[in-house]
Amino acid sequence: MTARLRDFFDSSTPWQRRLWDAGAVLGLRELHDAITWSDTKVLSHSAAKWLAGDLERLLGRDRGVGDKTLHSQLQRLLRAPLANSNAHHRALAEITALIDSQYLARWAAAASEHDRLPSPERFARAVGTHLLDAGFSSQFLRDWVNRLSPSTLSEIAEAACELTSSPAHEYELLIPIARVQDLDGNLKTSQDWLPARETVSWFRAHGVSSEQRHNGGFRYVISARDAYAAADLGRETIDRMRARATYSRKNARLEPNGELWVGGLNRPVPLTRPSRGAFVLSLVSEKLLYAVGHRSALDNALEVASSLNEGPPAAAISGSWSAVESLLLAPADEAEGGRGALAADRMASLITCSWPRADLTALSYRHKPPSSDRLTVELNGADTNRDRAETVLKWMKGGNALNLESASDVAAAARMSQLVSAPRRTLGDIQKHMVTAMRRVYRHRNLVVHGGAVNVDTLPMTLRTAAPLIGAGLDRVTHAALVDGTHPVDLAVRADLRLSLLDTSAGRSLVDLLE
């Protein structure tokens, strides 16, 4: 169980092993906000209605929501006509607060029902999403999990309850500035600016003895769940300041020295954001990472999506969605839910078809028996990653187990076993999760582009969950275009068809769903 939590809280975890959804509470808050936005025409009423139906599906088996009575109340509310400020909308806020107040406590109680224990995977996803949605940073939570091991489900749930019951803390941040130009006294009127001498005093007061290169700095007091979460807010603050500086007529140079300091941490935090995990590795494997002489539609899409990993949230959302629509929509395409929803569903199908091979390939490199076995020999003879994945798939279909050392790999092998035994059901469930994630990106793109909403509470969660998935989809589109010349829309149509033919005589191997 703790292995899955480590997967969820580790920024280096590959996309197929990450969290893809919002937690129950933040999902309900997202719906409440969507209903408000639909009243302003930024989101459509059909988008809010679709989200309500999706939440009914997602929360129907969530044991943190409450007993049968509360589940029934929530179900009736999600099926009711929800409109801004009507009785149902107000009741949604009330029931969300009620669920939030005891969400982890209910999971702790479920973890103590020995005759009806929740599955470790379901439990880990519920607890992990709730903690991240509550504002804790991944780095803090990773350290927290490491201190817990080994623990039972009940002990983990109780520790999570204790963690969320603690209030947010106030953290003092300093962002040293290497170069800055004071235009018309703007620095002097800023309450947050510390001249160089006062910045030196701040360092000394916080026990920083090494010489820091700076010409002053900005000091903030930020309320956050942990020091690393405060650092994330500091990064957003400097992004906003840099953006505002571009509006001066003169060149208002504002160059931070590349790091920020949080009171209580004994080392600086890089000012550059950690990567959000969106990787298009086909550019590397095909030796085309720097081949930008010829500009194609694919090049344009990758360029507009380039903010996805490290850019400001608004640019990351709007740019990545522009890439998705430009690649996956044809002029004649129409759909009941609109063209944006069609693009979302097509990207979801592409990612779903990529999921089996991603983990089967990873597992092929983790099989480490005490002595060489038949699988080892066959893997050594495999020429490509596709062949390695197919070899592992055949091994598992034969009822054979893999010899794995990592608990994360063991959990992945268990998921692949479910896939082998029930391909259509398993990939059908994965596809629903992908549709949820991609439609969430589309809605948030509309909030940013049409509503100017760059500070909605659900934007960080949207990028955290969806950026690695978009990267995986763009990678498959890129690979197909570079290797076979396949148009992205053709690839998406192929993905839909292959998923519909699972478990039939016309079905393809689980590692060849996009071939």
Side-chain angles (χ1 to χ4, degrees):
M1 224 293 294
T2 53
R4 287 302 280 146
L5 288 174
R6 288 193 193 94
D7 283 345
F8 300 152
F9 301 149
D10 191 336
S11 60
S12 65
T13 298
W15 69 269
Q16 71 273 14
R17 299 188 184 185
R18 291 191 179 215
L19 286 170
W20 304 325
D21 297 320
V25 173
L26 191 58
L28 290 170
R29 289 175 179 157
E30 180 186 8
L31 174 60
H32 187 275
D33 291 345
I35 294 163
T36 302
W37 282 108
S38 68
D39 195 47
T40 65
K41 311 302 182 184
V42 170
L43 295 181
S44 67
H45 290 288
S46 61
K49 184 178 180 180
W50 184 91
L51 177 57
D54 197 46
L55 283 170
E56 181 182 350
R57 174 185 65 84
L58 288 168
L59 303 185
R61 296 176 296 167
D62 193 318
R63 294 169 72 175
V65 167
D67 58 17
K68 290 183 179 180
T69 302
L70 192 52
H71 267 283
S72 297
Q73 290 286 346
L74 178 61
Q75 183 185 66
R76 281 196 290 270
L77 192 57
L78 293 174
R79 294 178 179 182
L82 292 161
N84 187 34
S85 296
N86 74 358
H88 300 302
H89 191 213
R90 296 173 188 275
L92 178 62
E94 290 292 331
I95 201 169
T96 300
L98 183 61
I99 292 170
D100 186 25
S101 66
Q102 294 294 317
Y103 185 77
L104 290 177
R106 295 187 188 100
W107 272 109
S112 300
E113 296 180 19
H114 299 295
D115 58 337
R116 191 170 158 259
L117 284 175
S119 75
E121 179 74 15
R122 184 70 189 87
F123 179 88
R125 286 187 175 275
V127 172
T129 54
H130 192 81
L131 291 176
L132 287 166
D133 292 348
F136 293 100
S137 68
S138 296
Q139 189 167 352
F140 173 84
L141 290 173
R142 187 170 65 249
D143 295 340
W144 173 76
V145 170
N146 289 335
R147 292 193 299 270
L148 286 178
S149 304
S151 301
T152 65
L153 296 186
S154 179
E155 290 170 340
I156 292 172
E158 290 170 1
C161 286
E162 182 179 352
L163 190 63
T164 55
S165 66
S166 61
H169 302 280
E170 286 196 341
Y171 293 91
E172 197 172 341
L173 267 68
L174 181 73
I175 304 175
I177 303 298
R179 293 181 181 180
V180 64
Q181 186 175 0
D182 188 7
L183 295 179
D184 299 326
N186 274 266
L187 283 180
K188 294 178 182 178
T189 59
S190 171
Q191 297 179 346
D192 305 312
W193 172 252
L194 295 182
R197 186 172 297 177
E198 293 181 33
T199 300
V200 171
S201 298
W202 189 95
F203 279 125
R204 289 174 179 168
H206 288 80
V208 181
S209 57
S210 60
E211 289 294 326
Q212 301 296 316
R213 181 176 61 89
H214 65 80
N215 192 27
F218 287 96
R219 172 190 171 275
Y220 302 97
V221 177
I222 292 179
S223 178
R225 284 289 198 171
D226 61 75
Y228 297 106
D232 288 338
L233 295 173
R235 293 185 182 104
E236 291 182 14
T237 300
I238 202 68
D239 279 344
R240 293 170 57 205
M241 195 180 305
R242 281 168 158 169
R244 182 162 295 197
T246 64
Y247 289 107
S248 64
R249 180 172 295 170
K250 299 177 182 178
N251 182 17
R253 292 180 301 174
L254 181 65
E255 299 179 16
N257 74 350
E259 58 191 28
L260 59 84
W261 292 81
V262 182
L265 292 181
N266 57 9
R267 60 186 182 280
V269 178
L271 199 55
T272 303
R273 283 184 179 84
S275 170
R276 295 188 180 107
F279 302 121
V280 184
L281 299 182
S282 294
L283 292 172
V284 179
S285 62
E286 298 302 319
K287 308 295 189 293
L288 293 172
L289 186 62
Y290 303 118
V292 295
H294 171 70
R295 182 179 285 275
S296 65
L298 177 61
D299 291 309
N300 294 340
L302 293 176
E303 184 174 332
V304 298
S306 59
S307 295
L308 189 54
N309 268 326
E310 297 176 0
I317 284 287
S318 57
S320 62
W321 192 253
S322 294
V324 171
E325 286 200 359
S326 70
L327 291 171
L328 297 181
L329 290 177
D333 281 332
E334 297 293 341
E336 182 179 346
R339 286 168 58 86
L342 176 61
D345 295 352
R346 283 178 171 171
M347 179 59 94
S349 295
L350 287 173
I351 303 166
T352 302
C353 288
S354 305
W355 183 69
R357 191 193 287 192
D359 249 341
L360 288 169
T361 301
L363 292 172
S364 76
Y365 289 98
R366 310 288 167 74
H367 177 63
K368 303 291 182 184
S371 58
S372 181
D373 59 6
R374 180 165 56 87
L375 177 58
T376 304
V377 174
E378 293 179 1
L379 288 173
N380 288 338
D383 294 327
T384 64
N385 279 339
R386 182 264 166 211
D387 294 339
R388 294 182 66 91
E390 180 68 31
T391 300
V392 172
L393 178 61
K394 289 179 179 178
W395 179 263
M396 297 184 75
K397 281 184 173 180
N400 304 301
L402 298 171
N403 198 298
L404 305 167
E405 298 176 353
S406 161
S408 175
D409 291 332
V410 171
R415 294 191 296 277
M416 290 300 102
S417 294
Q418 292 177 344
L419 173 67
V420 168
S421 62
R424 176 179 288 274
R425 186 182 68 219
T426 303
L427 285 182
D429 183 59
I430 295 296
Q431 186 178 25
K432 290 175 182 176
H433 285 288
M434 297 305 152
V435 169
T436 297
M438 292 303 104
R439 289 204 180 197
R440 175 174 286 120
V441 177
Y442 175 48
R443 288 194 304 275
H444 281 76
R445 172 263 187 190
N446 288 340
L447 292 179
V448 169
V449 173
H450 301 304
V454 298
N455 63 332
V456 290
D457 292 340
T458 48
L459 187 55
M461 173 273 296
T462 300
L463 281 172
R464 184 188 74 237
T465 54
L469 302 178
I470 294 175
L474 291 177
D475 184 57
R476 291 302 86 200
V477 166
T478 300
H479 180 269
L482 296 179
V483 174
D484 303 319
T486 303
H487 192 281
V489 175
D490 292 332
L491 188 68
V493 171
R494 179 187 301 170
D496 280 332
L497 179 62
R498 297 283 170 77
L499 289 171
S500 69
L501 293 175
L502 285 169
D503 292 344
T504 71
S505 59
R508 297 291 294 268
S509 168
L510 291 170
V511 303
D512 290 330
L513 294 177
L514 293 178
E515 301 300 322

